[in-house]
Amino acid sequence: MKHIVKIMALLVALSAIWISLLQTSVLPESYTWLLPLYSIVTLGCYGLLMVGVGLMRFPTCPQESLLLQEDIVEAKGFLKEKGVDVGSD
């Protein structure tokens, strides 16, 4: 419940800033109307950047890979005993 209150407070603050920019002549009106769109595009770019950085830093675990391969071989053997076709080896 606390997070929704923080998000709502942030949205209210951003809306107040945006409305105040619309009322004053600090920025040209054509730019001010596009600020929410620019914010959404910027947030999307930031999200894609964070996903890309996370993928580049994804750790490899060779020991876990070997354990997983052993589990796969064991599972294939178990399923073959039960008569299930598990594909080619």
Side-chain angles (χ1 to χ4, degrees):
M1 184 65 181
K2 293 179 183 180
H3 292 298
I4 193 72
V5 172
K6 289 179 185 178
I7 291 171
M8 291 303 292
L10 181 64
L11 287 175
V12 168
L14 288 175
S15 298
I17 291 170
W18 183 55
I19 290 172
S20 68
L21 285 174
L22 283 173
Q23 297 296 323
T24 62
S25 298
V26 176
L27 294 174
E29 189 172 335
S30 62
Y31 294 149
T32 308
W33 280 105
L34 292 174
L35 281 177
L37 180 64
Y38 291 150
S39 301
I40 291 170
V41 169
T42 303
L43 183 63
C45 291
Y46 174 75
L48 286 174
L49 177 70
M50 290 296 105
V51 168
V53 168
L55 287 174
M56 286 190 296
R57 291 183 167 189
F58 191 76
T60 56
C61 306
Q63 296 87 7
E64 295 299 321
S65 173
L66 293 174
L67 290 173
L68 181 61
Q69 291 298 326
E70 290 174 7
D71 288 344
I72 291 172
V73 169
E74 180 182 339
K76 282 184 178 182
F78 175 76
L79 291 173
K80 281 184 183 178
E81 287 176 7
K82 299 293 182 183
V84 178
D85 182 25
V86 291
S88 62
D89 288 327

